[in-house]
Amino acid sequence: MQWLYLAIAVVFEIGVALAAGKAEGFKNRKWTAITLVSGALGTYFLSRALLTFNVGVGYALWTSVSGVGITLLGALLFGQKLNWKKALGIAAVIVGVVGLQLSGAA
């Protein structure tokens, strides 16, 4: 169940980043509200996942998987450049997440 909670937390964290980009420095009330609600829900589900995961491992998984998702969605939805250096960074993050999982740290 902790993996489901972590996955939901990742989705909301990606939502925070995407909504914050549209919030225009918190001038746009609709996107500001979406940012804040997504952040609260993401934190809630992360805290549920951390009942089982080690805090450092759970937080590392949350931030890294969210970062990869945000980078990929930025390229897909907003035309942001995805060059070989970013792809290499994404690959390194994925290797790190797999390494954490294989370590049995959950």
Side-chain angles (χ1 to χ4, degrees), residues 5-92:
Y5 289 142
L6 188 63
I8 294 169
V10 165
V11 169
F12 280 115
E13 181 65 13
I14 291 169
V16 168
L18 297 177
K22 293 191 171 276
E24 301 169 3
F26 286 170
K27 293 177 188 170
N28 183 313
R29 290 182 186 190
K30 173 185 147 187
W31 287 105
T32 296
I34 292 169
T35 300
L36 297 175
V37 169
S38 292
L41 289 169
T43 302
Y44 170 77
F45 283 103
L46 174 64
S47 71
R48 295 297 306 263
L50 293 180
L51 292 173
T52 306
F53 283 106
N54 295 328
V55 173
V57 172
Y59 188 78
L61 291 170
W62 180 56
T63 57
S64 60
V65 173
S66 298
V68 168
I70 292 163
T71 302
L72 294 176
L73 284 175
L76 290 172
L77 300 176
F78 305 119
Q80 296 173 353
K81 301 293 181 198
L82 186 61
N83 58 30
W84 71 269
K85 292 177 184 178
K86 286 183 184 177
L88 182 62
I90 289 170

